[in-house]
Amino acid sequence: MPRLSAFTCSYRSLALATFLAGFLADTAWSAAPFLEEAQPRGLVYAMQDYPQIYGNPGFGCGFADLDNDHDPDIVIIGATSGLVGIFENDGSGRFTDRSTGNGIPILPAGSAFAAADYDADGDLDLYLTQFGDANVLVRNDGNFQFTDVTGTAGVCDNGAGEAASFGDYDGDGWLDLYLCNYNGNFPGTENINNKLYRNTGQGTFQDVSVAQGVDNAGNSFQAVWFDYDRDGDVDLYLSNDRGHLNGLPNQLWRNDGGQLVNVSAGSGADLGLFSMGVACGDFDGNGWPDLYCTNIGGYEDGFNPLFLNQGNGTFVEASAPAGVDQYITSWGSIFFDYDNDGHQDLYVNNMFQPNALFVSDGTFPCVEIAASVNVTASTQPSFGSAVADVDNDGDLDLLVNNLEGNVELFINYEGETRNWIKYRMIGRGNNLFAVGCNVDTRVGGTWQFREIIAGGNGYLGQNELIIHVGLDDATLIDEVVVTWPGGGTRTLTSLPVNQTYPLYPPERLGDSDADGDVDLDDVDDFVFVILGNDTNVDHVALSDMDGNSIVDGKDLQAFVQAMSP
């Protein structure tokens, strides 16, 4: 696609700014701003000053429900002391500092984290990378206590560690781990390439990087497992810095039955650039996941590319038509529907200029409104960000990790003015948090696509694993189609809005005691629901055998049939 000239880009930026100023002046602007509330809510974590004293640029931040109470806790890296920040959410978006005495070692060269249940014991574990020092895997033992199992697990890599991400590439139900190394940037890390660790299911991992052809030797920042071709398994996209200089551009591997096949050439997503962060999600609303990569400004191709998925195995670069091709140095980037209008927006962390929030109404170009809604970030440089509904009001709040000063938490007071639904996924087999699951939500004739991504989406951190869908003014969801990794689908209809709804796989329906069978032990619980004596949304969802949001005689018939030998 031809690039716009610098004059044209400057002209368009001026036109957009003029349009926005007039829009705000002449229109009853309804967007209530975000408010930065980190310290009043108990989130006190001071970042290093710029220039940072260790690591590559920036540090990870994000969300993981570490205590299984169905609200997002915070994980953050970057304190001068090397202390990993762990903050417990009380359910209302107020936090208690659990950073000390938890078993997580001090990480003097900490960089990134990814959270997933690698051992299938029902809670989220943490893999933490270091830049030029040994990475760490800590097992979650409950009650904010962790055990360092790096050595026994076999994931003690000591390269220039950047982002990590979990996904079940081989379809055996156990989550595997991909690690990015910024090869050779730190003394002693030369020729320590990227790693793919296959989960054996025995608490250990095997290095299969070479066998799978993903031992990339580039300057890798970020990699994300996502189902780009929507065939039910996770594929892999890799963001390489300096790809136009060293001949190692961004890479795309298609998953063919557990074998990763390099399909970069001809995909349209294999651009060579100073590629750093990656946003992954369906930005244009066509039902296929797109990619947005950040870049360094100041050179001819110093724009942030937007790769729109065409649904045929290829991507088209469309940052200019979408209005998101900023020519400044950026790091983190995430897609999320900040205003719950049903369209994905884009947040970008910028290094020396205010952060950007590009808002979409479903048609391009987007409009940049960060200053208008108070999310530009108070200090620069800004590197990482992540989203979660920390206060459980139905909209996504924004965590921003800058250098210099306290981490920032922007509470969203706009999205709650519109309708929404959140899905809490129940996984199949040993993938208990349904990492890699795809969910399509239909209201009228419009579909929205989401998938669960554990690490790798953004820059060095992670969004919460709950799926969030903005619904604007819709009062009923017509259809939800769920596809679990490794097989298993369900279709649900007529879901009510403004709730967190658990999505159970087919084999779990009716099994209230989770023992693997629908039997006499489950009868009382089902009867309480069908008689209306139990309206708990988890119990109703578990008893709704046909997925029509009503527990009635048809569900009773299905329950009895499930009990039959």
Side-chain angles (χ1 to χ4, degrees):
M1 176 177 294
R3 302 301 310 160
L4 298 179
S5 68
F7 173 80
T8 304
C9 292
S10 298
Y11 180 81
R12 173 204 265 137
S13 299
L14 177 62
L16 282 173
T18 303
F19 165 78
L20 179 57
F23 180 77
L24 292 172
D26 300 335
T27 306
W29 178 245
S30 62
F34 288 79
L35 293 180
E36 200 291 302
E37 301 180 9
Q39 295 190 59
R41 289 176 175 268
L43 181 56
V44 179
Y45 187 86
M47 299 299 300
Q48 295 180 43
D49 289 340
Y50 178 78
Q52 63 198 69
I53 62 173
Y54 64 79
N56 227 16
F59 302 96
C61 69
F63 299 95
D65 181 10
L66 296 174
D67 54 355
N68 268 345
D69 62 352
H70 300 161
D71 56 49
D73 308 304
I74 286 177
V75 181
I76 187 166
I77 300 167
T80 302
S81 65
L83 180 72
V84 176
I86 302 291
F87 293 87
E88 177 186 3
N89 191 339
D90 70 355
S92 69
R94 289 171 173 78
F95 295 89
T96 299
D97 192 341
R98 305 293 189 195
S99 305
T100 59
N102 57 26
I104 299 176
I106 296 294
L107 302 183
S111 183
F113 85 94
D117 185 9
Y118 86 95
D119 54 359
D121 66 348
D123 50 30
L124 294 175
D125 312 294
L126 297 174
Y127 188 73
L128 301 129
T129 70
Q130 297 202 80
F131 196 74
D133 207 338
N135 299 336
V136 174
L137 174 65
V138 291
R139 185 187 67 223
N140 190 340
D141 296 327
N143 196 30
F144 290 96
Q145 294 298 306
F146 300 85
T147 298
D148 185 344
V149 296
T150 315
T152 57
V155 289
C156 186
D157 186 88
N158 60 356
E162 293 288 357
S165 51
F166 285 94
D168 179 17
Y169 83 92
D170 56 357
D172 66 353
W174 295 94
L175 293 176
D176 311 300
L177 173 65
Y178 191 76
L179 168 66
C180 293
N181 279 320
Y182 199 99
N183 189 308
N185 184 263
F186 190 87
T189 65
E190 296 84 359
N191 303 315
I192 301 180
N193 296 346
N194 293 358
K195 299 289 175 59
L196 173 58
Y197 293 108
R198 177 182 172 272
N199 192 335
T200 67
Q202 304 298 318
T204 61
F205 291 81
Q206 295 175 339
D207 183 353
V208 295
S209 316
V210 175
Q212 287 289 333
V214 294
D215 57 328
N216 188 267
N219 302 133
S220 299
F221 270 123
Q222 194 81 13
V224 59
W225 294 104
F226 75 125
D227 189 5
Y228 93 98
D229 53 2
R230 305 246 10 218
D231 66 349
D233 53 29
V234 289
D235 312 294
L236 183 64
Y237 186 72
L238 176 64
S239 171
N240 277 334
D241 191 14
R242 305 174 183 271
H244 57 308
L245 302 177
N246 59 21
L248 293 169
N250 289 3
Q251 299 290 292
L252 176 66
W253 287 274
R254 185 185 66 225
N255 191 338
D256 288 350
Q259 179 63 52
L260 298 174
V261 178
N262 195 320
V263 294
S264 305
S267 70
D270 60 334
L271 194 64
L273 66 154
F274 292 107
S275 191
M276 282 93 85
V278 178
C280 182
D282 183 12
F283 191 42
D284 59 358
N286 70 346
W288 299 86
D290 309 306
L291 300 163
Y292 181 83
C293 299
T294 55
N295 196 4
I296 291 179
Y299 73 107
E300 181 180 0
D301 292 323
F303 62 95
N304 294 348
L306 170 65
F307 300 115
L308 294 181
N309 192 332
Q310 302 301 291
N312 59 3
T314 66
F315 295 79
V316 170
E317 200 293 298
S319 57
V324 296
D325 59 333
Q326 56 180 26
Y327 281 73
I328 58 179
T329 299
S330 309
W331 290 91
S333 58
I334 46 176
F335 296 125
F336 75 112
D337 184 2
Y338 102 92
D339 52 2
N340 276 343
D341 70 346
H343 305 291
Q344 294 274 62
D345 310 304
L346 171 64
Y347 189 75
V348 182
N349 297 82
N350 295 321
M351 189 166 186
F352 298 120
Q353 299 189 37
N355 291 354
L357 176 60
F358 296 99
V359 175
S360 172
D361 64 359
T363 59
F364 291 155
C366 301
V367 176
E368 201 288 301
I369 66 164
S372 302
V373 296
N374 189 39
V375 290
T376 55
S378 63
T379 64
Q380 302 300 130
S382 186
F383 286 100
S385 51
V387 291
D389 183 8
V390 302
D391 52 358
N392 197 34
D393 64 351
D395 55 27
L396 289 170
D397 309 295
L398 178 65
L399 181 68
V400 178
N401 194 352
N402 316 307
L403 293 186
E404 302 185 353
N406 196 67
V407 62
E408 294 186 305
L409 179 63
F410 294 94
I411 300 299
N412 188 343
Y413 291 98
E414 162 61 15
E416 64 198 54
T417 65
R418 299 182 183 86
N419 293 331
W420 52 273
I421 191 167
K422 294 188 296 183
Y423 302 120
R424 180 169 57 83
M425 302 302 306
I426 289 83
R428 307 186 71 200
N430 296 310
N431 186 357
L432 300 180
F433 288 82
V435 173
C437 191
N438 293 344
V439 180
D440 294 274
T441 301
R442 180 176 66 83
V443 174
T446 301
W447 288 91
Q448 294 189 58
F449 167 72
R450 301 286 189 274
E451 61 185 321
I452 295 184
I453 295 173
N457 188 4
Y459 182 68
L460 308 183
Q462 179 166 320
N463 299 325
E464 70 173 330
L465 297 181
I466 298 292
I467 287 180
H468 173 275
V469 180
L471 300 171
D472 202 8
D473 60 356
T475 57
L476 192 70
I477 295 169
D478 294 304
E479 188 176 3
V480 179
V481 178
V482 190
T483 305
W484 279 266
T489 62
R490 280 190 72 197
T491 298
L492 300 91
T493 57
S494 303
L495 285 183
V497 302
N498 298 338
Q499 64 175 335
T500 300
Y501 198 84
L503 293 178
Y504 288 93
E507 65 270 18
R508 276 296 314 280
L509 296 175
D511 183 13
S512 59
D513 58 4
D515 66 351
D517 293 302
V518 178
D519 53 28
L520 290 175
D521 293 332
D522 303 306
V523 170
D524 286 348
D525 292 327
F526 183 87
V527 169
F528 288 151
V529 171
I530 199 170
L531 292 178
N533 296 326
D534 184 353
T535 59
N536 178 282
V537 66
D538 281 80
H539 301 163
V540 171
L542 194 60
S543 302
D544 184 13
M545 309 290 285
D546 59 4
N548 68 350
S549 302
I550 301 172
V551 180
D552 55 17
K554 292 183 179 179
D555 297 300
L556 176 59
Q557 293 177 358
F559 180 84
V560 171
Q561 184 176 1
M563 289 179 61
S564 302

